[in-house]
Amino acid sequence: MAASTPLLTDELDIVIPTIRNLDFLEMWRPFFQPYHLIIVQDGDPTKTIAVPDGFDYELYNRNDINRILGPKASCISFKDSACRCFGYMVSKKKYIFTIDDDCFVAKDPSGKDINALEQHIKNILSPSTPSFFNTLYDPYREGADFVRGYPFSLREGAPTAVSHGLWLNIPDYDAPTQLVKPRERNTRYVDAVMTIPKGTLFPMCGMNLTFDRDLIGPAMYFGLMGDGQPIGRYDDMWAGWCVKVICDHLGLGVKTGLPYIWHSKASNPFVNLKKEYKGIFWQEEIIPFFQAATLSKDCTTVQQCYIELSKQVKEKLGKVDEYFVKLSDAMVTWIEAWDELNPPTKSSAKLANGSA
């Protein structure tokens, strides 16, 4: 069977955070080589990262981040995979696919290699159904449709802003669950894609993720994590909670399910526990905050939504810990840096003002 033609090769960047040589790209070569890569090197900027020949890429280290953002570089986390969001900011493409360097090509139940990127693109190019759940999951997939009783007025769906992929082998567990289930592996391949309903939050995992940068990019900030911060391993989840509140407000959709990647390496649960310790307590306050968060009708752009959300973070979560005051300020700095590197075009400014 002939290989399918790669989709969106001129409209999508692949963002990879790393501290090591990117040998894993060899496995992904058939799928990734037609695309432009943005590699964000974490840790020691003097270390040379080897990238296999034949890939079109740009690589940024901490010195580059400081040079490009100046004082605003303070909003980019250090020694944490949250540094990946710098790649989102410097990209000039409409779509972003981000993957971790310990994620390999998975196989479907028939033994065929899964082209994760192709499935993400299919997800993001078809509408979502956040306002009414379809019991056959994604009605836009081949072989599926809207079931009896689904309102015809809602069948056009909503634009899809995020495609959240899953993982086989090492599950994405928190440290306490890792400790009690050290040998557990995810072997279940569920052939399904679904829209996360409006008003429902989810724990977003950043290791196999695609999003429409034009629709939701400024909200994809992975927070202040890692070196010098009291918390780690909540970067992608923080972004996911912010993104979902804003998607719900702006009428955008988030899909989860296919595609799977093979998560090859379990991180150390004791190291993870140290990073997550405060987050495990704080999330009991954070989740109700996001569940109750509402944005004013005046917020018609992602940036406006995000700034309003940052004020609520400071006001409500600042009482939980001083860290959230610092995080709220970083959220504002992130938007300022985003707008400096991505000045709005005349057409997008017109749309934001409600005029064509």
Side-chain angles (χ1 to χ4, degrees):
M1 193 172 91
S4 55
T5 307
L7 303 166
L8 304 179
T9 50
D10 297 326
E11 297 179 71
L12 183 143
D13 277 333
I14 299 173
V15 174
I16 305 167
T18 194
I19 55 168
R20 58 181 67 85
N21 294 337
L22 294 180
D23 304 329
F24 92 115
L25 284 173
E26 285 296 352
M27 180 182 279
W28 288 102
R29 187 182 290 277
F31 308 126
F32 288 2
Q33 196 157 357
Y35 296 88
H36 178 67
L37 312 182
I38 298 177
I39 300 159
V40 184
Q41 179 182 340
D42 199 12
D44 181 2
T46 63
K47 184 182 172 186
T48 302
I49 298 286
V51 181
D53 290 341
F55 286 94
D56 170 38
Y57 71 93
E58 52 192 309
L59 187 151
Y60 297 94
N61 61 31
R62 193 72 206 186
N63 293 340
D64 299 314
I65 294 171
N66 291 338
R67 173 176 52 80
I68 292 165
L69 296 185
K72 293 185 176 69
S74 61
C75 72
I76 304 297
S77 299
F78 190 51
K79 294 189 178 172
D80 192 278
S81 68
C83 69
R84 79 176 80 221
C85 62
F86 176 76
Y88 309 160
M89 189 187 277
V90 295
S91 169
K92 298 297 176 221
K93 304 287 176 64
K94 178 171 169 53
Y95 301 100
I96 296 285
F97 169 56
T98 186
I99 188 169
D100 286 0
D101 61 14
D102 62 349
C103 293
F104 299 160
V105 177
K107 293 186 185 294
D108 68 17
S110 74
K112 183 184 172 190
D113 283 352
I114 296 168
N115 184 347
L117 186 47
E118 182 179 62
Q119 178 65 49
H120 272 301
I121 290 169
K122 286 178 180 174
N123 291 351
I124 210 108
L125 292 182
S126 63
S128 293
T129 53
S131 300
F132 203 88
F133 191 80
N134 191 54
T135 51
L136 271 182
Y137 303 121
D138 192 340
Y140 306 102
R141 279 188 75 190
E142 194 176 334
D145 209 329
F146 293 96
V147 296
R148 182 171 54 90
Y150 201 102
F152 284 89
S153 58
L154 294 175
R155 293 190 183 195
E156 277 187 19
T160 301
V162 180
S163 169
H164 177 256
L166 301 175
W167 7 258
L168 294 169
N169 195 36
I170 306 294
D172 188 28
Y173 285 161
D174 54 34
T177 311
Q178 274 185 295
L179 286 165
V180 297
K181 295 181 170 183
R183 283 183 285 279
E184 183 158 307
R185 299 293 178 263
N186 182 31
T187 58
R188 287 196 314 150
Y189 179 97
V190 180
D191 185 12
V193 176
M194 66 189 80
T195 298
I196 300 171
K198 184 176 181 179
T200 301
L201 296 172
F202 75 112
M204 189 172 84
C205 172
M207 70 172 131
N208 174 24
L209 183 73
T210 295
F211 60 92
D212 186 321
R213 192 174 169 278
D214 289 354
L215 285 181
I216 201 64
M220 273 288 177
Y221 175 47
F222 278 41
L224 280 179
M225 303 280 157
D227 214 32
Q229 307 303 335
I231 185 175
R233 283 173 57 81
Y234 273 82
D235 51 335
D236 43 8
M237 290 182 288
W238 179 264
W241 297 326
C242 293
V243 159
K244 190 57 169 61
V245 168
I246 293 171
C247 281
D248 287 352
H249 176 75
L250 295 177
L252 303 171
V254 177
K255 291 185 177 184
T256 187
L258 300 181
Y260 285 94
I261 48 86
W262 180 268
H263 188 206
S264 67
K265 192 169 82 242
S267 45
N268 185 310
F270 295 101
V271 173
N272 290 347
L273 187 60
K274 194 175 176 184
K275 292 177 182 178
E276 293 171 359
Y277 181 74
K278 288 183 183 292
I280 289 167
F281 291 100
W282 288 346
Q283 71 187 14
E284 302 308 320
E285 307 264 3
I286 295 170
I287 300 301
F289 161 76
F290 280 109
Q291 285 174 325
T294 55
L295 300 169
S296 67
K297 287 179 181 174
D298 297 338
C299 293
T300 56
T301 67
V302 176
Q303 283 92 329
Q304 289 167 343
C305 291
Y306 203 71
I307 293 295
E308 184 162 306
L309 199 53
S310 76
K311 290 173 183 169
Q312 294 179 25
V313 167
K314 180 172 280 188
E315 181 193 340
K316 305 251 175 79
L317 293 179
K319 297 169 187 170
V320 175
D321 192 273
E322 187 67 25
Y323 164 74
F324 291 100
V325 175
K326 193 175 168 186
L327 177 55
S328 167
D329 291 339
M331 291 167 74
V332 175
T333 303
W334 159 264
I335 291 293
E336 290 170 354
W338 182 282
D339 284 347
E340 273 182 27
L341 290 181
N342 302 277
T345 61
K346 285 181 183 175
S347 59
S348 66
K350 280 180 185 175
L351 285 171
N353 292 330
S355 57

